[in-house]
Amino acid sequence: GLRRQSIAVAAMLFVAACADSPNLGQPGFVQGFAGAAVADEPSAALAGRDLLAAGGSAGDAAAGMFFALAVTKPASAGLMASGVCLAYNPTTDLHQAYQFRAPEGVRALAAVHARFGLLPWRQVVGSAEAMARFGTRLSKAFVEDWQAGSAPAGAATDVYGIRPAVGDKVQNVDLASLLG
């Protein structure tokens, strides 16, 4: 009875403790301090953090966060955004700047990923595609950005079917299809 159940539970815990460590590309691959990902939208920062934790590079995180921001902060950081990405390689002491204007963002971040990325492209873009396809909760940053942006009054309703409010779960299947 109880003794057999206790032995079975102990055996399962032992087997679970002996499981292999995560492989490159799986969250938890990197142990200890590995870097940081910073964005003014929390879901994008988490996407970057997850790529770093999976053994990705700063190039992977930058590209992943760019695409996540296209989902979570589209009024100012969508696929048509412009910006600058700075890269530094301490081994070669090489500094590079990637400046891009609309519609060059996707191409610029693909170049950053090609040069500095470690993870497969599908994984780098995958979390943003999943957020768009399966839905994500609107952050305060999203709502404030949308209200401050120059988007037409009905644009949010056209895309999401609602007027954006913090905590609402929204999907953008068209964007998910594009990212996929």
Side-chain angles (χ1 to χ4, degrees):
L2 184 61
R3 185 165 188 250
R4 282 188 187 162
Q5 289 175 347
S6 298
I7 291 171
V9 169
M12 287 190 296
L13 289 174
F14 178 74
V15 169
C18 294
D20 291 334
S21 317
N23 294 321
L24 176 65
Q26 296 176 326
F29 174 75
V30 175
Q31 302 295 316
F33 180 77
V38 179
D40 60 352
E41 201 291 320
S43 296
L46 292 174
R49 180 210 58 188
D50 290 347
L51 289 167
L52 291 173
S57 67
D60 294 315
M65 290 170 56
F66 172 83
F67 290 105
L69 284 168
V71 176
T72 63
K73 214 170 172 197
S76 64
L79 295 179
M80 295 298 287
S82 57
V84 176
C85 184
L86 303 174
Y88 172 68
N89 184 337
T91 306
T92 61
D93 196 33
L94 178 66
H95 296 81
Q96 284 187 287
Y98 295 83
Q99 181 175 3
F100 54 94
R101 292 179 183 78
E104 302 167 342
V106 173
R107 176 185 265 171
L109 272 295
V112 168
H113 177 263
R115 177 131 185 146
F116 300 103
L118 300 173
L119 299 175
W121 180 250
R122 69 182 177 277
Q123 184 173 357
V124 170
V125 180
S127 65
E129 189 263 340
M131 284 189 278
R133 182 170 311 281
F134 301 114
T136 187
R137 299 266 175 214
L138 298 182
S139 67
K140 183 178 178 188
F142 176 102
V143 174
E144 288 176 354
D145 186 55
W146 197 276
Q147 291 170 346
S150 61
T157 306
D158 292 346
V159 174
Y160 301 109
I162 60 167
R163 183 169 179 249
V166 176
D168 287 345
K169 186 171 183 178
V170 296
Q171 294 174 279
N172 188 337
V173 179
D174 292 336
L175 178 58
S177 296
L178 180 65
L179 294 173

